[in-house]
Amino acid sequence: MTTAPVHTAATVAMPAEAARLNATYDPERLLAELDAVRNRTWEKQRVYSETGVGAATDVDWRCLALRSPGGDGTRTDPGGPGPRDFAPTEWLDRMPYVREVLDSIPAPLHAVRFMALGTDTVGIDHTDPKYGPRWGVARLHVPVTTNPRALLVLDGVTHRWQPGEFWFGDFSRVHHVENTGPEPRVHLVVDALVTPGLVRVFPEAWQEYFASGEVLYNRPSCGQRAEERARLECSFDVPATFPLWEEDGTLDVDQPWTRVSVRDDGTQLVLDQGTGQPYALVHIDANEYRLAGWSEERTLQLFLEGRQPHAVLRIRDGRSVTERSVPAVPGRTDGR
């Protein structure tokens, strides 16, 4: 195994904890499409971790999924790395204007949810780990309904975003929401991958940060043919924490490592730890892959031709990257 050094760049601080973006949307059309699905019972928001969908929130914070892993309309969690990438749900098919809004966002989209904060509800202070440009992810909000006593406190700053506005918030910072008003507060919440295109909707004051700050940019995905995927099946060792995207990753040898295989499931390559929870892989370029449902915060690249087949594992943090090369054994391990 070999490890490359960590490369760092000079940093420019994020200008603020939030930014109003360079777009506005029609609040009446948004409200009309929201009203069309209000009669369905929305379920409470759930968490997502390496073990899958977890517990529901303790407060009255309910969701309707418009994009989710596999297009499952019952999911209220934000999703993450897993066996299926994000896709539209049946609810988005009923909302042509919301689809226009989403199509106008110049970035690949992950979870999209209507999120309703009930009346007399106060959330706890918390962070959403790694939901920020430093890790290649941006959480965006389009308010649909609100009232003067509905607010967000983000990194100590109180915000009252208004219907039709378009906002970014750095939700990796401490924050909480509260609604002590008479009506639910509903936002369209969009998780997007950070790309150069997305930067263009940020105000001018943010451009220096995106040019020189600790920002991780994602590259476009690139499909592969079945015969290409078949040639890339292999096995190698990774740190047991490698797929655990919410943790600070490390490639040090002084930690548990585990054997994984890359195999073709018939439609895509997956990373299989033998736990029954494979991770779909999204091809970026030159046989480098990110975990479906996540950013390029961690990737693997396969070099199976030649006398020393190997995989290169990479973990990124802003403009820094750590990588380690590990020997790989070409071919399937299950004998098929």
Side-chain angles (χ1 to χ4, degrees):
M1 298 180 182
T2 60
T3 303
V6 174
H7 303 284
T8 59
T11 59
V12 173
M14 186 181 289
E17 78 292 338
R20 184 172 176 182
L21 305 181
N22 297 328
T24 55
Y25 300 104
D26 188 331
E28 293 185 1
R29 294 178 70 185
L30 287 168
L31 181 59
E33 294 192 351
L34 172 64
D35 284 342
V37 294
R38 280 184 191 260
N39 59 351
R40 179 187 185 275
T41 300
W42 295 17
E43 301 297 333
K44 287 187 175 182
Q45 179 187 197
R46 292 183 177 272
V47 299
Y48 185 85
S49 70
E50 66 274 7
T51 59
V53 180
T57 180
D58 292 330
V59 299
D60 187 8
W61 200 354
R62 298 176 183 272
C63 301
L64 185 70
L66 306 185
R67 283 181 59 87
S68 70
D72 183 348
T74 68
R75 296 278 293 262
T76 60
D77 60 284
R84 297 179 296 174
D85 211 345
F86 288 89
T89 72
E90 60 180 301
W91 303 109
L92 186 56
D93 291 338
R94 308 180 188 189
M95 301 177 185
Y97 183 63
V98 171
R99 188 180 288 274
E100 282 185 36
V101 170
L102 299 182
D103 287 345
S104 75
I105 299 174
L109 305 184
H110 280 177
V112 177
R113 296 169 290 172
F114 273 133
M115 300 186 70
L117 186 67
T119 59
D120 296 321
T121 300
V122 179
I124 62 171
D125 281 341
H126 67 285
T127 63
D128 297 328
K130 296 191 176 179
Y131 275 84
R134 178 176 167 182
W135 302 280
V137 183
R139 180 157 282 172
L140 313 174
H141 281 236
V142 179
V144 182
T145 67
T146 191
N147 66 77
R149 301 210 303 269
L151 55 89
L152 160 71
V153 179
L154 177 56
D155 201 20
V157 180
T158 298
H159 292 268
R160 291 180 174 86
W161 298 341
Q162 297 303 303
E165 297 176 351
F166 190 26
W167 283 87
F168 159 79
D170 181 5
F171 291 96
S172 68
R173 307 187 191 198
V174 175
H175 62 279
H176 78 268
V177 291
E178 59 183 77
N179 179 17
T180 58
E183 300 291 340
R185 187 209 78 166
V186 182
H187 284 196
L188 179 66
V189 181
V190 180
D191 292 335
L193 293 183
V194 176
T195 63
L198 185 64
V199 171
R200 292 195 290 271
V201 303
F202 278 76
E204 181 62 32
W206 283 67
Q207 297 307 308
E208 184 180 4
Y209 161 71
F210 279 111
S212 303
E214 290 292 0
V215 177
L216 170 59
Y217 288 100
N218 296 273
R219 292 164 285 176
S221 61
C222 178
Q224 289 184 302
R225 300 187 303 274
E227 56 269 27
E228 294 176 302
R229 300 196 305 266
R231 292 196 296 266
L232 293 165
E233 294 182 316
C234 61
S235 58
F236 48 89
D237 292 331
V238 301
T241 58
F242 187 73
L244 308 185
W245 76 103
E246 288 188 329
E247 297 188 11
D248 291 332
T250 175
L251 298 176
D252 294 339
V253 295
D254 297 331
Q255 63 172 312
W257 285 60
T258 186
R259 195 70 166 175
V260 299
S261 63
V262 172
R263 58 178 176 81
D264 184 4
D265 73 355
T267 60
Q268 62 192 351
L269 288 179
V270 298
L271 184 71
D272 192 344
Q273 299 182 96
T275 61
Q277 172 75 2
Y279 295 89
L281 297 175
V282 175
H283 182 230
I284 303 165
D285 185 36
N287 297 337
E288 186 174 9
Y289 303 85
R290 61 175 172 83
L291 303 177
W294 193 233
S295 69
E296 290 186 44
E297 186 260 344
R298 54 196 67 190
T299 66
L300 60 91
Q301 189 169 15
L302 303 176
F303 299 89
L304 301 185
E305 297 180 356
R307 299 178 62 181
Q308 295 182 317
H310 63 283
V312 176
L313 311 177
R314 295 187 177 94
I315 295 178
R316 297 173 174 86
D317 186 339
R319 297 176 182 273
S320 303
V321 58
T322 305
E323 65 180 39
R324 181 179 289 275
S325 176
V326 297
V329 178
R332 290 186 75 114
T333 58
D334 58 10
R336 287 193 287 170

